[in-house]
Amino acid sequence: MAKYVVFDGMDGSGKGTQMKLLEEKFGDSIVFTREPGGTPFAEEIRKIIRDNPLAGKSTALNNFLLFWAAREELQHNLVVPALKVGKHVFSDRGDSSTYAFQIWGEEHKELSHLFNLMRKHVFLERQKPDLYIVFDLPAEVARERAMQDASREKNHFDTRGLAYYKRVRKGFREFAEHMPVEFIDATRSPEKIHRSVLMALAKNMIIPELALVVD
Ligand code: TYD
């Protein structure tokens, strides 16, 4: 059966590099996508949430709902069809981000109940992610790296203090209390992290054959 895997982590965790290494390794045999985005309409929603300063000035509920709107669109037009034809889907971010960033990072615990409801509806009669791989970093390191990355175009998610990074990390840990999450130590070299990712994919029976290669 085709599997659905979400890759997540704090800004600065090297997630982008890891997604590139996976794409180089697996190519078209796996459908790679991202959140928010991944379909033409969801990419339009992404532009609003991520790049339009008006989104930053709107309410927490509105931003939360826009992430879910993009997610619903991605599920309907990309994830479900791909899984149906037997293709694995690897997504750069997912609902774990909404939980860690909006509910924990931005301290909107009042949205927890709505998070559970949205999750129930969006994944109703659909396949939930089989695994979340979270690139984990101490908050200090994550913030430092995100600040120093000059190649990164800054958006309104990129200018937060240390306490925010700590809350986001805690959010991922809380998420893992109820979901199938593998944490990967992202303080190491890209090669070592990549190897750990492959091992996690083998161990969690996403691509069991990898066990033979990366033991
Ligand atoms: P992006 O530049 O793609 O960041 P990255 O390369 O680190 O993934 O911008 C996406 C931003 O959106 C990122 O800062 C995390 C944030 N985000 C949320 O706050 N909530 C969500 O539900 C999702 C999917 C992303």
Side-chain angles (χ1 to χ4, degrees), residues 11 15 46 50 67 71 93 97-98 101-102 157:
D11 304 322
K15 176 174 59 60
R46 176 187 177 90
R50 186 180 172 276
F67 280 115
R71 187 162 300 131
R93 299 200 185 278
S97 280
T98 308
F101 290 98
Q102 276 65 55
F157 293 106

Side-chain angles (χ1 to χ4, degrees), residues 8-12 15-16 34-36 46 50 67-68 71 92-99 101-102 106 152-153 155 157-158 164:
D8 216 324
M10 285 182 282
D11 304 322
K15 176 174 59 60
R34 68 172 179 182
E35 284 200 28
R46 176 187 177 90
R50 186 180 172 276
F67 280 115
W68 278 108
R71 187 162 300 131
D92 185 337
R93 299 200 185 278
D95 61 317
S96 37
S97 280
T98 308
Y99 192 81
F101 290 98
Q102 276 65 55
E106 291 163 24
R152 236 183 109 83
E153 36 167 329
N155 58 56
F157 293 106
D158 288 337
Y164 170 79

